Amino acid sequence: MTAPLVAGIDTSTQSVKVVVRDAETGAFVRSGSASHPNATQVDPRVWWEALQVAVERAGGLDGVVAVSVGGQQHGMVTLDADGEPVRPAMLWNDNSSGRQARELVAELGAERWASETGTVPVASITATKLRWLAEHEPENAARVAAVCLPHDYLTWRLRGSTDIAELTTDRSDASGTGYFSGRTGEYLPDLLGHAFGRSDLVLPRVADIRESVGRAAGLGIDAIVGPGTGDNAGAALALGLGPGDVLLSVGTSGVVSAIVTQQPADPTGLVAGFSDATGNYLPLVATVNCAQVLDATRELLGVDYDELARLALAAPAGSNGLSFVPYLHGERTPNLPDAAGAIHGVTHASYTRESLARAAFEAIVCGLGVGLDAVRVLGLEVASLRLVGGAAKSPALREVAPSVLGHDIVLPAPGEYVADGVARQAAWVLAAQTDAAADLPAWPELGGAPVEVATAPSAPHVREQYALAAPLHLTREG
């Protein structure tokens, strides 16, 4: 008898990925992906188009009996009463609502936001984008009947639904909206109304973590659909993170996250107290500027990624005194949406291709270090650091990260962690159909055994140097 299969779908900032696995063992079966526009505002219908291409490239979904969707958090997807997008979705990396975020914090106070939602609003949070929409596009705002997030939209389309009343989400993604309490599991209509000017919107029903939310009618297969989850929660699920395990993700954004049992409330706004995909919490710190800093530096120097790494490794820790403040797109941590980057410490010795290359790597790791410190302040004792993401493949980052952070770095085997994590959730939902109390399936860690533990001599002077340079960032006007 053929073993049942499950599928995990990741709708990320740049593409949609599909991974198919054995429901019982977690063994990899096949996968496919399709790119879509990499922008800060995107028509959500292109995610559905990309999903269909990704499924085809994965060899179809024959044999798949359960599927879940993971996706980029925070994005504002607005739908009218007929379920049609009102405007392009504003994604997490759209910093247009920086002023609105500051105003919301000033109006209600950081303590209240942190206490009620676990998060102090910044430009990435959905509530701030709704305030921006109400102020800048009042005609569009008046047409909005429902608001959801990217993974909610794709789950809804996967089910073949056109009824906005059938939108669903999960607690992890809901916890990043700015109008949901992870502690109570309920939306906070007063905060939604305060941000948007009205609270009569249809919001996705928050499904139970083991619940089937429907069937995959949208792709013509007879498979149950799980509630899905946010991208960071999905990656944590794939890697089996436990207490004290910290995940450093270096992709389009830089992310520091860990699993805890109590929702943190950080009124400084550095740490977002999101929920995870299992009933715990996922304190998270994110930076906007990560892999694109390496991309920009590579393009400036006219080299490929291998040569960028070679140049960086030819310079000493500290880049001969050169510090790169990498606020190419503003920044979320620290909350500086209107900031511009800067380069400091330019001398005859540091004004080299090698120093600039290493300074780019050190810059993104220093940003992660700020996040790691913030999580530690909340009481987390770090047992291990794991490094994942596209940039984690670079030998330069594998040397720079342990050097700058002063801690050995575990490098899991490369994988599509978000898609793998929601595939695991799909297997959980499948098992719950016959046993409502079923545990998370005992799959091996989907990243496989660590392929390497990266070590390097600690270089605390790098972060000290960066800490002096970062406050000297520029603004968009200056």
Side-chain angles (χ1 to χ4, degrees):
M1 181 177 177
T2 303
L5 303 179
V6 293
I9 297 167
D10 172 19
T11 176
S12 71
T13 311
Q14 301 179 4
S15 64
V16 173
K17 305 155 190 122
V18 177
V19 172
V20 178
R21 290 187 173 272
D22 185 296
E24 297 174 358
T25 67
F28 174 83
V29 177
R30 57 185 186 268
S31 66
S33 66
S35 61
H36 55 68
N38 177 18
T40 59
Q41 297 194 22
V42 176
D43 185 333
R45 287 170 289 208
V46 304
W47 302 329
W48 175 246
E49 295 167 1
L51 171 60
Q52 295 175 81
V53 175
V55 166
E56 181 180 353
R57 291 176 177 173
L61 296 180
D62 289 348
V64 170
V65 295
V67 58
S68 284
V69 180
Q72 50 180 310
Q73 292 187 261
H74 314 311
M76 181 188 73
V77 181
T78 51
L79 303 175
D80 64 18
D82 295 322
E84 293 297 323
V86 171
R87 69 177 317 282
M90 294 179 71
L91 306 187
W92 64 273
N93 55 353
D94 188 311
N95 281 325
S96 301
S97 59
R99 176 178 61 81
Q100 287 73 24
R102 293 190 294 272
E103 290 173 352
L104 288 172
V105 175
E107 289 161 7
L108 299 183
E111 291 280 357
R112 178 177 175 185
W113 287 104
S115 174
E116 294 195 30
T117 73
T119 304
V120 178
V122 292
S124 60
I125 299 298
T126 312
T128 71
K129 300 179 188 304
L130 286 169
R131 169 67 70 91
W132 181 93
L133 181 64
E135 293 180 358
H136 287 80
E137 300 178 4
E139 292 184 359
N140 279 337
R143 293 176 52 214
V144 175
V147 61
C148 62
L149 303 180
H151 116 253
D152 309 337
Y153 178 81
L154 208 53
T155 298
W156 182 67
R157 291 295 304 269
L158 181 63
R159 292 164 51 207
S161 180
T162 58
D163 183 353
I164 58 175
E166 295 180 351
L167 286 162
T168 59
T169 191
D170 84 304
R171 63 192 296 273
S172 77
D173 240 0
S175 68
T177 60
Y179 42 83
F180 177 83
S181 169
R183 284 193 298 271
T184 67
E186 301 289 338
Y187 286 113
L188 302 168
D190 56 334
L191 294 184
L192 173 62
H194 184 82
F196 191 49
R198 44 185 269 248
S199 59
D200 60 340
L201 302 180
V202 172
L203 300 178
R205 179 178 64 83
V206 182
D208 182 78
I209 51 182
R210 298 177 179 84
E211 178 184 346
S212 167
V213 299
R215 313 293 297 192
L219 287 177
I221 59 172
D222 186 25
I224 62 174
V225 179
T229 194
D231 51 3
N232 297 294
L237 195 61
L239 292 167
L241 293 190
D245 293 329
V246 177
L247 183 63
L248 308 176
S249 178
V250 282
T252 306
S253 61
V255 177
V256 179
S257 59
I259 300 294
V260 298
T261 58
Q262 299 293 322
Q263 180 174 312
D266 179 13
T268 71
L270 284 178
V271 179
F274 299 143
S275 301
D276 81 339
T278 69
N280 289 316
Y281 297 91
L282 191 73
L284 182 147
V285 181
T287 63
V288 169
N289 298 280
C290 195
Q292 64 264 44
V293 176
L294 303 181
D295 290 338
T297 306
R298 177 187 62 79
E299 292 171 2
L300 177 66
L301 296 177
V303 298
D304 60 18
Y305 293 105
D306 291 339
E307 179 65 7
L308 182 69
R310 189 199 68 76
L311 288 170
L313 292 174
S319 306
N320 292 304
L322 195 72
S323 290
F324 182 6
V325 183
Y327 300 161
L328 305 185
H329 300 278
E331 188 48 80
R332 170 175 170 173
T333 304
N335 184 22
L336 298 167
D338 300 319
I343 297 176
H344 298 281
V346 179
T347 65
H348 183 75
S350 67
Y351 195 44
T352 67
R353 291 160 59 84
E354 292 81 0
S355 293
L356 181 58
R358 187 172 185 109
F361 284 97
E362 291 180 338
I364 63 175
V365 176
C366 283
L368 294 173
V370 171
L372 186 58
D373 289 347
V375 174
R376 280 177 165 143
V377 166
L378 295 181
L380 176 70
E381 294 187 10
V382 177
S384 71
L385 295 179
R386 302 186 190 192
L387 182 67
V388 300
K393 301 172 185 176
S394 171
L397 192 66
R398 295 179 181 210
E399 177 178 305
V400 168
S403 171
V404 171
L405 298 177
H407 199 294
D408 289 352
I409 305 289
V410 177
L411 300 164
E416 295 295 348
Y417 300 109
V418 178
D420 285 340
V422 287
R424 191 178 189 192
Q425 184 198 65
W428 196 9
V429 173
L430 178 64
Q433 302 308 296
T434 54
D435 180 359
D439 291 330
L440 195 64
W443 290 4
E445 182 177 309
L446 296 182
V451 294
E452 184 180 345
V453 176
T455 63
S458 180
H461 68 283
V462 176
R463 290 199 59 195
E464 293 168 2
Q465 181 178 296
Y466 182 82
L468 293 174
L472 305 178
H473 66 271
L474 303 175
T475 66
R476 295 296 175 186
E477 291 75 28

